[in-house]
Each structure stands twice: as C-alpha cells, then as structure tokens.
Amino acid sequence: MPTADERIVLYNVPWSHFEVQLALRGDAPSPRMAYLDGALELMSPSKGHERTKSYIGRLIEVFAMERDVMLSPYGSWTLKGPPELAGVEPDECYIVGPDQDKERPDLAIEVIWTSGSIDKLEIYRRLQVGEVWSWKDGVLSVHVLSAGRYQKVDRSALFPELDLALLCTFLDRRSATEPMRDFRNALRARP
C-alpha cells in the first residue's frame, strides 16, 4: 500500500531563513526543500516516491546509453536564486550534451506523490530550467521553457525520440534491474 510523503509548508519565511535551513540540514538527503516568495516547503519523501524517481532516472540513463546521448545526473542538486526568491531541490536532474559546466540542469524531474505542494513549476521558470518532467499517477508530463513560460508538450525537446508512455510502463517492476533490462531490450527492438 502506498504511503504519503511527509510535507509541511510554512508561510512568510524570509529568504535568509531558507538559507539557514539549508545550512542546518547540510548534506542530509531529507527534508527536501523548496522556496517561493516566502513559502518554505519541507518534504520527506516516501518510499514509493523515492522508488519512482529512481526508476525514472535509471531509465533515462538507459535511454542515453542506448542512444549515445551525453548525460550527467545531479540528483537533488539545490537550485536557488535570491533575486528570484525561488529555490528547489528536484527529485532528479540532469545536464544533457557536451557542455557540462552549466549553472542549471537542462532537465528536472518531479514526482508528485502527495498533493499540496507549492508551485514548483514557477520556481523552475524563475531559475530558467529548460525542461521539467512531472510524474503523477503513472503519467509523465513534459514542460519546455519557451519565451519565459513553460509550454506543456507531448515529447521531450531534449530526448525527442524517447517514448515517455513506454518508459512509464516499466515503473511497476519489483527491482531496478528488471525495468532497466526490459526497457533496454524494448529500445533495441526499435530502430
């Protein structure tokens, strides 16, 4: 039976307090934090949340290996910008392509396991992350930044050949090696 993420949102929090919370937490993986215009979200992800984000990440990495795409994972890299009053720690994020010295990832992935979050898409927009994938109820939605706004699109701009619906069919496997192997075999069966 799925469990819910533990989440609390505090309001009227100064940016300096967000910075202090990040410093106090240090390198611990939890709680993950997001900040937008004085709202501070503290979230401890559930087992199911972590499993889903890990499987999605591993399948992206399988796709990149099979299609020879340069890709570097950065996990829950803390992205923030005080002038934008926005900060977030994605579930997974990646830099794609040969330029690996970017200040922001090209792709951020958010698993929506429990509702009630602050507007993370707005945070990513302010931080200029080019593409955001949101997984909810077995479906991956893709948002591509264009002219300062996110457009919901059918396919990834970073991975236009990637069939996201196919990828999602592998997320229910019992262990991480099963979906990786099965997805690799499905990719090899498609020219």
Side-chain angles (χ1 to χ4, degrees):
M1 177 172 205
T3 58
D5 297 330
E6 293 180 23
R7 178 184 320 271
I8 186 169
V9 179
L10 306 170
Y11 296 95
N12 300 314
V13 177
W15 177 261
S16 60
H17 290 184
F18 171 56
E19 294 276 14
V20 167
Q21 289 298 317
L22 288 170
L24 288 172
R25 188 206 54 209
D27 291 333
S30 186
R32 283 204 196 112
M33 295 184 214
Y35 184 92
L36 181 63
D37 295 333
L40 173 63
E41 177 186 82
L42 305 170
M43 193 265 291
S44 292
S46 66
K47 179 181 176 185
H49 182 128
E50 289 295 278
R51 179 181 178 272
T52 299
K53 71 101 179 170
S54 293
Y55 277 29
I56 292 169
R58 285 185 173 89
L59 295 177
I60 290 168
E61 292 161 16
V62 166
F63 179 84
M65 286 188 346
E66 288 297 312
R67 297 299 190 255
D68 200 26
V69 174
M70 186 176 272
L71 177 79
S72 294
Y74 288 92
S76 295
W77 176 7
T78 302
L79 309 172
K80 59 185 177 164
E84 295 88 2
L85 292 179
V88 69
E89 296 175 318
D91 287 317
E92 294 284 350
C93 67
Y94 294 90
I95 290 179
V96 181
D99 180 5
Q100 294 291 306
D101 295 325
K102 297 176 183 175
E103 294 297 316
R104 298 278 188 256
D106 297 300
L107 170 63
I109 299 169
E110 286 292 332
V111 171
I112 303 168
W113 197 260
T114 306
S115 61
S117 178
I118 61 178
D119 187 354
K120 289 188 181 168
L121 207 52
E122 173 60 16
I123 298 171
Y124 287 117
R125 184 193 70 77
R126 290 186 190 183
L127 298 173
Q128 299 295 294
V129 174
E131 189 164 311
V132 178
W133 296 2
S134 299
W135 179 92
K136 184 176 183 180
D137 298 328
V139 176
L140 271 170
S141 300
V142 178
H143 302 271
V144 174
L145 192 62
S146 175
R149 295 195 173 289
Y150 280 112
Q151 304 295 320
K152 188 173 180 183
V153 296
D154 293 330
R155 296 188 105 35
S156 168
L158 295 167
F159 307 103
E161 297 175 12
L162 177 57
D163 182 337
L164 294 172
L166 175 67
L167 181 146
C168 286
T169 65
F170 295 98
L171 298 178
D172 64 350
R173 304 297 165 43
R174 291 173 44 95
S175 73
T177 54
E178 290 176 62
M180 292 168 64
R181 180 196 60 233
D182 295 346
F183 186 52
R184 181 196 65 209
N185 291 339
L187 291 172
R188 289 179 177 177
R190 294 176 170 204

